[in-house]
mmCIF file of all heavy atoms in Angstrom:
data_model
loop_
_atom_site.group_PDB
_atom_site.id
_atom_site.type_symbol
_atom_site.label_atom_id
_atom_site.label_comp_id
_atom_site.label_asym_id
_atom_site.label_seq_id
_atom_site.Cartn_x
_atom_site.Cartn_y
_atom_site.Cartn_z
ATOM 1 N N ARG A 1 -129.695 -16.681 -71.125
ATOM 2 C CA ARG A 1 -129.049 -15.399 -71.359
ATOM 3 C C ARG A 1 -127.944 -15.526 -72.346
ATOM 4 O O ARG A 1 -127.635 -14.627 -73.130
ATOM 5 C CB ARG A 1 -128.528 -14.821 -70.010
ATOM 6 C CG ARG A 1 -128.031 -13.395 -70.151
ATOM 7 C CD ARG A 1 -129.194 -12.400 -70.445
ATOM 8 N NE ARG A 1 -128.802 -11.081 -70.945
ATOM 9 C CZ ARG A 1 -128.549 -10.782 -72.196
ATOM 10 N NH1 ARG A 1 -128.671 -11.655 -73.121
ATOM 11 N NH2 ARG A 1 -128.165 -9.568 -72.510
ATOM 12 N N ILE A 2 -127.237 -16.660 -72.336
ATOM 13 C CA ILE A 2 -126.153 -16.911 -73.225
ATOM 14 C C ILE A 2 -126.671 -17.228 -74.598
ATOM 15 O O ILE A 2 -126.200 -16.667 -75.612
ATOM 16 C CB ILE A 2 -125.255 -18.011 -72.741
ATOM 17 C CG1 ILE A 2 -124.646 -17.671 -71.386
ATOM 18 C CG2 ILE A 2 -124.175 -18.361 -73.753
ATOM 19 C CD1 ILE A 2 -123.566 -16.617 -71.419
ATOM 20 N N THR A 3 -127.632 -18.105 -74.717
ATOM 21 C CA THR A 3 -128.236 -18.496 -76.011
ATOM 22 C C THR A 3 -128.876 -17.320 -76.732
ATOM 23 O O THR A 3 -128.770 -17.142 -77.959
ATOM 24 C CB THR A 3 -129.160 -19.666 -75.927
ATOM 25 O OG1 THR A 3 -130.271 -19.278 -75.015
ATOM 26 C CG2 THR A 3 -128.525 -20.912 -75.359
ATOM 27 N N THR A 4 -129.516 -16.451 -75.960
ATOM 28 C CA THR A 4 -130.124 -15.255 -76.482
ATOM 29 C C THR A 4 -129.049 -14.297 -77.077
ATOM 30 O O THR A 4 -129.254 -13.740 -78.170
ATOM 31 C CB THR A 4 -130.924 -14.475 -75.457
ATOM 32 O OG1 THR A 4 -132.035 -15.371 -75.014
ATOM 33 C CG2 THR A 4 -131.538 -13.193 -76.020
ATOM 34 N N ALA A 5 -127.977 -14.179 -76.358
ATOM 35 C CA ALA A 5 -126.920 -13.331 -76.785
ATOM 36 C C ALA A 5 -126.306 -13.834 -78.090
ATOM 37 O O ALA A 5 -126.064 -13.056 -79.054
ATOM 38 C CB ALA A 5 -125.741 -13.254 -75.760
ATOM 39 N N ILE A 6 -126.051 -15.159 -78.174
ATOM 40 C CA ILE A 6 -125.576 -15.758 -79.341
ATOM 41 C C ILE A 6 -126.438 -15.540 -80.611
ATOM 42 O O ILE A 6 -126.047 -15.245 -81.700
ATOM 43 C CB ILE A 6 -125.254 -17.236 -79.144
ATOM 44 C CG1 ILE A 6 -124.090 -17.428 -78.159
ATOM 45 C CG2 ILE A 6 -124.974 -17.964 -80.483
ATOM 46 C CD1 ILE A 6 -123.871 -18.843 -77.701
ATOM 47 N N GLU A 7 -127.765 -15.616 -80.301
ATOM 48 C CA GLU A 7 -128.754 -15.354 -81.358
ATOM 49 C C GLU A 7 -128.832 -13.951 -81.812
ATOM 50 O O GLU A 7 -128.877 -13.628 -83.021
ATOM 51 C CB GLU A 7 -130.131 -15.840 -80.860
ATOM 52 C CG GLU A 7 -131.261 -15.618 -81.819
ATOM 53 C CD GLU A 7 -132.635 -15.879 -81.293
ATOM 54 O OE1 GLU A 7 -132.709 -16.367 -80.138
ATOM 55 O OE2 GLU A 7 -133.618 -15.617 -82.022
ATOM 56 N N HIS A 8 -128.778 -12.980 -80.910
ATOM 57 C CA HIS A 8 -128.972 -11.556 -81.280
ATOM 58 C C HIS A 8 -127.784 -10.886 -81.881
ATOM 59 O O HIS A 8 -127.997 -10.087 -82.747
ATOM 60 C CB HIS A 8 -129.365 -10.796 -79.937
ATOM 61 C CG HIS A 8 -130.746 -11.014 -79.513
ATOM 62 N ND1 HIS A 8 -131.270 -10.627 -78.285
ATOM 63 C CD2 HIS A 8 -131.814 -11.658 -80.125
ATOM 64 C CE1 HIS A 8 -132.515 -10.916 -78.147
ATOM 65 N NE2 HIS A 8 -132.852 -11.556 -79.262
ATOM 66 N N ILE A 9 -126.617 -11.206 -81.471
ATOM 67 C CA ILE A 9 -125.432 -10.514 -82.036
ATOM 68 C C ILE A 9 -125.218 -11.006 -83.448
ATOM 69 O O ILE A 9 -125.299 -12.223 -83.713
ATOM 70 C CB ILE A 9 -124.163 -10.842 -81.178
ATOM 71 C CG1 ILE A 9 -124.382 -10.390 -79.700
ATOM 72 C CG2 ILE A 9 -122.965 -10.057 -81.750
ATOM 73 C CD1 ILE A 9 -123.288 -10.896 -78.797
ATOM 74 N N SER A 10 -124.964 -10.116 -84.375
ATOM 75 C CA SER A 10 -124.869 -10.470 -85.752
ATOM 76 C C SER A 10 -123.479 -10.809 -86.157
ATOM 77 O O SER A 10 -122.542 -10.472 -85.471
ATOM 78 C CB SER A 10 -125.446 -9.286 -86.659
ATOM 79 O OG SER A 10 -126.766 -9.016 -86.296
ATOM 80 N N TYR A 11 -123.366 -11.469 -87.300
ATOM 81 C CA TYR A 11 -122.063 -11.906 -87.822
ATOM 82 C C TYR A 11 -121.939 -11.509 -89.291
ATOM 83 O O TYR A 11 -122.806 -11.821 -90.082
ATOM 84 C CB TYR A 11 -122.001 -13.468 -87.666
ATOM 85 C CG TYR A 11 -120.617 -14.022 -87.683
ATOM 86 C CD1 TYR A 11 -119.656 -13.543 -86.803
ATOM 87 C CD2 TYR A 11 -120.197 -15.007 -88.551
ATOM 88 C CE1 TYR A 11 -118.327 -14.097 -86.755
ATOM 89 C CE2 TYR A 11 -118.982 -15.593 -88.575
ATOM 90 C CZ TYR A 11 -118.022 -15.054 -87.683
ATOM 91 O OH TYR A 11 -116.716 -15.600 -87.665
ATOM 92 N N GLY A 12 -120.892 -10.768 -89.583
ATOM 93 C CA GLY A 12 -120.699 -10.192 -90.911
ATOM 94 C C GLY A 12 -120.171 -11.146 -91.970
ATOM 95 O O GLY A 12 -119.693 -12.204 -91.703
ATOM 96 N N ARG A 13 -120.214 -10.642 -93.197
ATOM 97 C CA ARG A 13 -119.668 -11.342 -94.352
ATOM 98 C C ARG A 13 -118.790 -10.362 -95.149
ATOM 99 O O ARG A 13 -119.259 -9.725 -96.082
ATOM 100 C CB ARG A 13 -120.809 -11.865 -95.262
ATOM 101 C CG ARG A 13 -121.677 -12.871 -94.615
ATOM 102 C CD ARG A 13 -122.947 -13.140 -95.469
ATOM 103 N NE ARG A 13 -123.818 -11.995 -95.517
ATOM 104 C CZ ARG A 13 -124.900 -11.898 -96.321
ATOM 105 N NH1 ARG A 13 -125.171 -12.882 -97.159
ATOM 106 N NH2 ARG A 13 -125.627 -10.848 -96.255
ATOM 107 N N LEU A 14 -117.563 -10.323 -94.712
ATOM 108 C CA LEU A 14 -116.569 -9.450 -95.423
ATOM 109 C C LEU A 14 -115.540 -10.334 -96.114
ATOM 110 O O LEU A 14 -115.013 -11.243 -95.524
ATOM 111 C CB LEU A 14 -115.847 -8.538 -94.464
ATOM 112 C CG LEU A 14 -114.740 -7.703 -95.062
ATOM 113 C CD1 LEU A 14 -115.316 -6.687 -96.012
ATOM 114 C CD2 LEU A 14 -113.961 -6.935 -93.936
ATOM 115 N N GLU A 15 -115.343 -10.107 -97.358
ATOM 116 C CA GLU A 15 -114.334 -10.860 -98.134
ATOM 117 C C GLU A 15 -113.426 -9.905 -98.884
ATOM 118 O O GLU A 15 -113.673 -8.716 -98.927
ATOM 119 C CB GLU A 15 -115.032 -11.763 -99.187
ATOM 120 C CG GLU A 15 -116.052 -12.739 -98.592
ATOM 121 C CD GLU A 15 -115.431 -13.898 -97.827
ATOM 122 O OE1 GLU A 15 -114.208 -13.952 -97.752
ATOM 123 O OE2 GLU A 15 -116.235 -14.746 -97.369
ATOM 124 N N LYS A 16 -112.353 -10.402 -99.427
ATOM 125 C CA LYS A 16 -111.422 -9.595 -100.118
ATOM 126 C C LYS A 16 -110.778 -10.396 -101.268
ATOM 127 O O LYS A 16 -110.725 -11.631 -101.203
ATOM 128 C CB LYS A 16 -110.324 -9.026 -99.220
ATOM 129 C CG LYS A 16 -109.525 -10.086 -98.448
ATOM 130 C CD LYS A 16 -108.689 -9.497 -97.381
ATOM 131 C CE LYS A 16 -109.443 -8.893 -96.264
ATOM 132 N NZ LYS A 16 -108.579 -8.449 -95.099
ATOM 133 N N VAL A 17 -110.375 -9.730 -102.280
ATOM 134 C CA VAL A 17 -109.746 -10.354 -103.430
ATOM 135 C C VAL A 17 -108.486 -9.579 -103.762
ATOM 136 O O VAL A 17 -108.518 -8.288 -103.797
ATOM 137 C CB VAL A 17 -110.654 -10.523 -104.617
ATOM 138 C CG1 VAL A 17 -111.179 -9.182 -105.168
ATOM 139 C CG2 VAL A 17 -109.984 -11.274 -105.770
ATOM 140 N N TYR A 18 -107.433 -10.295 -104.043
ATOM 141 C CA TYR A 18 -106.089 -9.692 -104.378
ATOM 142 C C TYR A 18 -105.882 -9.895 -105.940
ATOM 143 O O TYR A 18 -105.793 -11.041 -106.374
ATOM 144 C CB TYR A 18 -104.977 -10.276 -103.597
ATOM 145 C CG TYR A 18 -104.969 -9.933 -102.131
ATOM 146 C CD1 TYR A 18 -105.706 -10.654 -101.202
ATOM 147 C CD2 TYR A 18 -104.172 -8.932 -101.649
ATOM 148 C CE1 TYR A 18 -105.664 -10.358 -99.844
ATOM 149 C CE2 TYR A 18 -104.095 -8.578 -100.307
ATOM 150 C CZ TYR A 18 -104.825 -9.301 -99.442
ATOM 151 O OH TYR A 18 -104.840 -8.997 -98.045
ATOM 152 N N PHE A 19 -105.670 -8.790 -106.607
ATOM 153 C CA PHE A 19 -105.292 -8.849 -108.052
ATOM 154 C C PHE A 19 -103.850 -8.408 -108.143
ATOM 155 O O PHE A 19 -103.519 -7.221 -107.878
ATOM 156 C CB PHE A 19 -106.164 -7.950 -108.896
ATOM 157 C CG PHE A 19 -107.484 -8.480 -109.197
ATOM 158 C CD1 PHE A 19 -108.530 -8.567 -108.291
ATOM 159 C CD2 PHE A 19 -107.725 -9.007 -110.517
ATOM 160 C CE1 PHE A 19 -109.774 -9.068 -108.602
ATOM 161 C CE2 PHE A 19 -108.933 -9.526 -110.841
ATOM 162 C CZ PHE A 19 -110.008 -9.574 -109.893
ATOM 163 N N THR A 20 -102.962 -9.272 -108.579
ATOM 164 C CA THR A 20 -101.565 -8.930 -108.858
ATOM 165 C C THR A 20 -101.322 -8.745 -110.274
ATOM 166 O O THR A 20 -101.763 -9.574 -111.103
ATOM 167 C CB THR A 20 -100.622 -10.008 -108.195
ATOM 168 O OG1 THR A 20 -100.834 -10.025 -106.781
ATOM 169 C CG2 THR A 20 -99.157 -9.681 -108.472
ATOM 170 N N PHE A 21 -100.584 -7.681 -110.642
ATOM 171 C CA PHE A 21 -100.305 -7.385 -112.031
ATOM 172 C C PHE A 21 -98.773 -7.428 -112.295
ATOM 173 O O PHE A 21 -98.025 -7.360 -111.328
ATOM 174 C CB PHE A 21 -100.814 -6.013 -112.381
ATOM 175 C CG PHE A 21 -102.352 -5.921 -112.359
ATOM 176 C CD1 PHE A 21 -103.001 -5.694 -111.094
ATOM 177 C CD2 PHE A 21 -103.079 -6.050 -113.500
ATOM 178 C CE1 PHE A 21 -104.362 -5.566 -111.087
ATOM 179 C CE2 PHE A 21 -104.477 -5.962 -113.422
ATOM 180 C CZ PHE A 21 -105.146 -5.729 -112.229
ATOM 181 N N PRO A 22 -98.377 -7.495 -113.543
ATOM 182 C CA PRO A 22 -96.908 -7.448 -113.828
ATOM 183 C C PRO A 22 -96.272 -6.173 -113.293
ATOM 184 O O PRO A 22 -95.160 -6.171 -112.792
ATOM 185 C CB PRO A 22 -96.815 -7.496 -115.331
ATOM 186 C CG PRO A 22 -98.093 -8.219 -115.746
ATOM 187 C CD PRO A 22 -99.115 -7.800 -114.738
ATOM 188 N N THR A 23 -97.005 -5.044 -113.419
ATOM 189 C CA THR A 23 -96.526 -3.791 -112.868
ATOM 190 C C THR A 23 -97.725 -3.013 -112.353
ATOM 191 O O THR A 23 -98.866 -3.329 -112.738
ATOM 192 C CB THR A 23 -95.772 -2.938 -113.903
ATOM 193 O OG1 THR A 23 -96.695 -2.591 -114.960
ATOM 194 C CG2 THR A 23 -94.600 -3.631 -114.495
ATOM 195 N N ALA A 24 -97.497 -2.041 -111.538
ATOM 196 C CA ALA A 24 -98.574 -1.180 -110.993
ATOM 197 C C ALA A 24 -98.919 -0.156 -112.041
ATOM 198 O O ALA A 24 -98.516 1.000 -111.887
ATOM 199 C CB ALA A 24 -98.216 -0.633 -109.666
ATOM 200 N N PHE A 25 -99.642 -0.516 -113.013
ATOM 201 C CA PHE A 25 -99.904 0.412 -114.135
ATOM 202 C C PHE A 25 -100.651 1.642 -113.739
ATOM 203 O O PHE A 25 -100.656 2.686 -114.383
ATOM 204 C CB PHE A 25 -100.752 -0.335 -115.246
ATOM 205 C CG PHE A 25 -102.156 -0.651 -114.812
ATOM 206 C CD1 PHE A 25 -103.181 0.242 -114.927
ATOM 207 C CD2 PHE A 25 -102.419 -1.915 -114.338
ATOM 208 C CE1 PHE A 25 -104.486 -0.076 -114.560
ATOM 209 C CE2 PHE A 25 -103.717 -2.296 -113.955
ATOM 210 C CZ PHE A 25 -104.748 -1.366 -114.076
ATOM 211 N N TRP A 26 -101.356 1.642 -112.592
ATOM 212 C CA TRP A 26 -102.213 2.711 -112.165
ATOM 213 C C TRP A 26 -101.487 3.844 -111.508
ATOM 214 O O TRP A 26 -102.076 4.833 -111.151
ATOM 215 C CB TRP A 26 -103.324 2.149 -111.257
ATOM 216 C CG TRP A 26 -102.801 1.432 -109.973
ATOM 217 C CD1 TRP A 26 -102.465 1.970 -108.770
ATOM 218 C CD2 TRP A 26 -102.458 0.083 -109.956
ATOM 219 N NE1 TRP A 26 -101.939 1.028 -107.961
ATOM 220 C CE2 TRP A 26 -101.926 -0.226 -108.654
ATOM 221 C CE3 TRP A 26 -102.537 -1.034 -110.858
ATOM 222 C CZ2 TRP A 26 -101.527 -1.452 -108.224
ATOM 223 C CZ3 TRP A 26 -102.083 -2.260 -110.455
ATOM 224 C CH2 TRP A 26 -101.616 -2.463 -109.125
ATOM 225 N N LEU A 27 -100.206 3.678 -111.227
ATOM 226 C CA LEU A 27 -99.398 4.737 -110.644
ATOM 227 C C LEU A 27 -98.922 5.646 -111.782
ATOM 228 O O LEU A 27 -98.044 5.291 -112.609
ATOM 229 C CB LEU A 27 -98.213 4.199 -109.962
ATOM 230 C CG LEU A 27 -98.543 3.257 -108.736
ATOM 231 C CD1 LEU A 27 -97.235 2.885 -107.968
ATOM 232 C CD2 LEU A 27 -99.539 3.893 -107.788
ATOM 233 N N SER A 28 -99.460 6.847 -111.775
ATOM 234 C CA SER A 28 -99.138 7.768 -112.836
ATOM 235 C C SER A 28 -98.055 8.732 -112.385
ATOM 236 O O SER A 28 -97.804 8.882 -111.198
ATOM 237 C CB SER A 28 -100.367 8.528 -113.308
ATOM 238 O OG SER A 28 -100.900 9.262 -112.150
ATOM 239 N N SER A 29 -97.389 9.377 -113.314
ATOM 240 C CA SER A 29 -96.323 10.317 -112.991
ATOM 241 C C SER A 29 -96.620 11.720 -113.558
ATOM 242 O O SER A 29 -97.267 11.815 -114.620
ATOM 243 C CB SER A 29 -94.950 9.786 -113.506
ATOM 244 O OG SER A 29 -94.604 8.613 -112.922
ATOM 245 N N ASN A 30 -96.126 12.701 -112.872
ATOM 246 C CA ASN A 30 -96.215 14.066 -113.434
ATOM 247 C C ASN A 30 -94.930 14.772 -113.056
ATOM 248 O O ASN A 30 -94.018 14.216 -112.530
ATOM 249 C CB ASN A 30 -97.437 14.780 -112.922
ATOM 250 C CG ASN A 30 -97.522 14.863 -111.429
ATOM 251 O OD1 ASN A 30 -96.472 14.841 -110.758
ATOM 252 N ND2 ASN A 30 -98.726 15.002 -110.899
ATOM 253 N N SER A 31 -94.861 16.073 -113.304
ATOM 254 C CA SER A 31 -93.652 16.827 -113.085
ATOM 255 C C SER A 31 -93.252 16.846 -111.596
ATOM 256 O O SER A 31 -92.061 17.125 -111.308
ATOM 257 C CB SER A 31 -93.817 18.286 -113.538
ATOM 258 O OG SER A 31 -94.908 18.881 -112.880
ATOM 259 N N THR A 32 -94.155 16.649 -110.704
ATOM 260 C CA THR A 32 -93.856 16.662 -109.263
ATOM 261 C C THR A 32 -93.480 15.302 -108.692
ATOM 262 O O THR A 32 -93.159 15.179 -107.534
ATOM 263 C CB THR A 32 -94.984 17.223 -108.409
ATOM 264 O OG1 THR A 32 -96.137 16.432 -108.602
ATOM 265 C CG2 THR A 32 -95.345 18.654 -108.915
ATOM 266 N N GLY A 33 -93.523 14.253 -109.569
ATOM 267 C CA GLY A 33 -93.163 12.940 -109.079
ATOM 268 C C GLY A 33 -94.377 11.978 -109.228
ATOM 269 O O GLY A 33 -95.288 12.251 -109.967
ATOM 270 N N THR A 34 -94.273 10.904 -108.501
ATOM 271 C CA THR A 34 -95.277 9.823 -108.665
ATOM 272 C C THR A 34 -96.538 10.130 -107.828
ATOM 273 O O THR A 34 -96.440 10.535 -106.642
ATOM 274 C CB THR A 34 -94.737 8.472 -108.228
ATOM 275 O OG1 THR A 34 -93.562 8.211 -109.046
ATOM 276 C CG2 THR A 34 -95.761 7.366 -108.426
ATOM 277 N N VAL A 35 -97.701 10.007 -108.403
ATOM 278 C CA VAL A 35 -98.941 10.154 -107.715
ATOM 279 C C VAL A 35 -99.405 8.811 -107.273
ATOM 280 O O VAL A 35 -99.663 7.911 -108.105
ATOM 281 C CB VAL A 35 -100.009 10.769 -108.643
ATOM 282 C CG1 VAL A 35 -101.303 10.943 -107.867
ATOM 283 C CG2 VAL A 35 -99.549 12.137 -109.077
ATOM 284 N N THR A 36 -99.530 8.526 -106.011
ATOM 285 C CA THR A 36 -99.870 7.249 -105.478
ATOM 286 C C THR A 36 -101.214 7.296 -104.730
ATOM 287 O O THR A 36 -101.232 7.643 -103.534
ATOM 288 C CB THR A 36 -98.788 6.699 -104.526
ATOM 289 O OG1 THR A 36 -98.599 7.569 -103.463
ATOM 290 C CG2 THR A 36 -97.496 6.527 -105.302
ATOM 291 N N THR A 37 -102.275 7.046 -105.363
ATOM 292 C CA THR A 37 -103.572 6.986 -104.686
ATOM 293 C C THR A 37 -103.730 5.631 -103.999
ATOM 294 O O THR A 37 -103.744 4.597 -104.616
ATOM 295 C CB THR A 37 -104.705 7.206 -105.700
ATOM 296 O OG1 THR A 37 -104.565 8.460 -106.340
ATOM 297 C CG2 THR A 37 -106.065 7.075 -105.005
ATOM 298 N N PHE A 38 -103.846 5.652 -102.719
ATOM 299 C CA PHE A 38 -103.965 4.400 -101.954
ATOM 300 C C PHE A 38 -105.359 3.790 -101.989
ATOM 301 O O PHE A 38 -105.520 2.605 -102.101
ATOM 302 C CB PHE A 38 -103.545 4.672 -100.502
ATOM 303 C CG PHE A 38 -103.683 3.464 -99.624
ATOM 304 C CD1 PHE A 38 -102.810 2.384 -99.768
ATOM 305 C CD2 PHE A 38 -104.557 3.412 -98.566
ATOM 306 C CE1 PHE A 38 -102.861 1.257 -98.969
ATOM 307 C CE2 PHE A 38 -104.600 2.310 -97.695
ATOM 308 C CZ PHE A 38 -103.746 1.217 -97.923
ATOM 309 N N PHE A 39 -106.356 4.683 -101.995
ATOM 310 C CA PHE A 39 -107.748 4.241 -101.812
ATOM 311 C C PHE A 39 -108.562 4.630 -102.999
ATOM 312 O O PHE A 39 -108.559 5.811 -103.392
ATOM 313 C CB PHE A 39 -108.302 4.753 -100.531
ATOM 314 C CG PHE A 39 -109.732 4.485 -100.292
ATOM 315 C CD1 PHE A 39 -110.182 3.254 -99.844
ATOM 316 C CD2 PHE A 39 -110.708 5.456 -100.523
ATOM 317 C CE1 PHE A 39 -111.492 3.016 -99.609
ATOM 318 C CE2 PHE A 39 -112.082 5.225 -100.340
ATOM 319 C CZ PHE A 39 -112.450 4.004 -99.874
ATOM 320 N N SER A 40 -109.366 3.718 -103.538
ATOM 321 C CA SER A 40 -110.311 4.027 -104.608
ATOM 322 C C SER A 40 -111.701 3.386 -104.279
ATOM 323 O O SER A 40 -111.769 2.261 -103.812
ATOM 324 C CB SER A 40 -109.848 3.422 -105.949
ATOM 325 O OG SER A 40 -108.583 3.988 -106.362
ATOM 326 N N GLN A 41 -112.718 4.192 -104.524
ATOM 327 C CA GLN A 41 -114.081 3.741 -104.185
ATOM 328 C C GLN A 41 -114.923 3.773 -105.466
ATOM 329 O O GLN A 41 -114.849 4.766 -106.198
ATOM 330 C CB GLN A 41 -114.686 4.584 -103.110
ATOM 331 C CG GLN A 41 -116.080 4.117 -102.705
ATOM 332 C CD GLN A 41 -116.702 4.990 -101.607
ATOM 333 O OE1 GLN A 41 -116.169 6.003 -101.211
ATOM 334 N NE2 GLN A 41 -117.869 4.547 -101.145
ATOM 335 N N PHE A 42 -115.667 2.705 -105.709
ATOM 336 C CA PHE A 42 -116.500 2.619 -106.888
ATOM 337 C C PHE A 42 -117.999 2.616 -106.456
ATOM 338 O O PHE A 42 -118.443 1.664 -105.811
ATOM 339 C CB PHE A 42 -116.153 1.347 -107.673
ATOM 340 C CG PHE A 42 -114.691 1.223 -108.015
ATOM 341 C CD1 PHE A 42 -113.783 0.680 -107.144
ATOM 342 C CD2 PHE A 42 -114.263 1.703 -109.249
ATOM 343 C CE1 PHE A 42 -112.495 0.586 -107.469
ATOM 344 C CE2 PHE A 42 -112.890 1.624 -109.576
ATOM 345 C CZ PHE A 42 -111.998 1.071 -108.660
ATOM 346 N N LEU A 43 -118.684 3.707 -106.810
ATOM 347 C CA LEU A 43 -120.074 3.816 -106.351
ATOM 348 C C LEU A 43 -121.003 2.890 -107.204
ATOM 349 O O LEU A 43 -120.535 2.282 -108.182
ATOM 350 C CB LEU A 43 -120.499 5.323 -106.526
ATOM 351 C CG LEU A 43 -119.648 6.219 -105.696
ATOM 352 C CD1 LEU A 43 -120.118 7.724 -105.858
ATOM 353 C CD2 LEU A 43 -119.598 5.857 -104.216
ATOM 354 N N PRO A 44 -122.248 2.731 -106.828
ATOM 355 C CA PRO A 44 -123.158 1.769 -107.461
ATOM 356 C C PRO A 44 -123.067 1.826 -109.011
ATOM 357 O O PRO A 44 -123.575 2.840 -109.559
ATOM 358 C CB PRO A 44 -124.535 2.149 -106.883
ATOM 359 C CG PRO A 44 -124.255 2.711 -105.583
ATOM 360 C CD PRO A 44 -122.998 3.482 -105.789
#
């Protein structure tokens, strides 16, 4: 029952990469102040 459980439950592969820049060039400004988009998604 234990070995079957170990076999059946799956194990993921999630990784991350950190890109540091001299400045946060992607933060744009307008008349109301700074626009700070926290999340960006890139489709296929």
Side-chain angles (χ1 to χ4, degrees):
R1 188 66 194 90
I2 299 290
T3 57
T4 298
I6 292 171
E7 177 185 356
H8 282 170
I9 304 169
S10 300
Y11 201 55
R13 296 170 292 173
L14 176 66
E15 304 287 0
K16 56 189 70 172
V17 60
Y18 289 85
F19 278 77
T20 298
F21 294 84
T23 64
F25 67 84
W26 56 92
L27 298 187
S28 58
S29 298
N30 58 26
S31 59
T32 61
T34 302
V35 179
T36 58
T37 300
F38 179 65
F39 174 78
S40 298
Q41 184 180 5
F42 304 87
L43 300 183

